[in-house]
Amino acid sequence: MEALAGPRPADIPAVVKQLPHFQLDILMKFVYRGMAFPELYNSSVLLTWHEKVTEVTGLGSIVRVMSDRLTV
């Protein structure tokens, strides 16, 4: 989770575009895991990740993550 806070917000789109779709789905799982603990993780950074992943994968990533039984 700390790795998501590392890149500057301006660098997030470049990172997202380098990842294949299955890795973006895993990244989205970690974003949702972080959102479950707002007292521990910066929600604004997580929302930026969420926005950029959704721009690349569309709503399909959200559906796949929510319906997947495997969690992180």
Side-chain angles (χ1 to χ4, degrees), residues 2 6 12 18-19 23 32 37 45 50-51 55:
E2 288 78 21
I12 292 175
Q18 292 177 358
L19 298 174
Q23 288 181 339
Y32 283 128
F37 301 101
V45 172
H50 188 276
E51 174 188 9
E55 285 177 3

Side-chain angles (χ1 to χ4, degrees), residues 2-69:
E2 288 78 21
L4 293 176
R8 295 182 320 207
D11 296 336
I12 292 175
V15 172
V16 168
K17 288 180 183 175
Q18 292 177 358
L19 298 174
H21 282 275
F22 77 93
Q23 288 181 339
L24 290 173
D25 289 348
I26 295 169
L27 174 60
M28 189 67 90
K29 286 182 182 184
F30 280 99
V31 169
Y32 283 128
R33 173 62 69 183
M35 286 182 183
F37 301 101
E39 64 279 354
L40 298 176
Y41 305 109
N42 187 345
S43 295
S44 65
V45 172
L46 294 173
L47 285 172
T48 302
W49 280 104
H50 188 276
E51 174 188 9
K52 299 307 175 188
V53 171
T54 305
E55 285 177 3
V56 173
T57 62
L59 297 176
S61 181
I62 297 170
V63 172
R64 287 187 294 274
V65 168
M66 292 296 179
S67 64
D68 193 358
R69 292 179 160 237

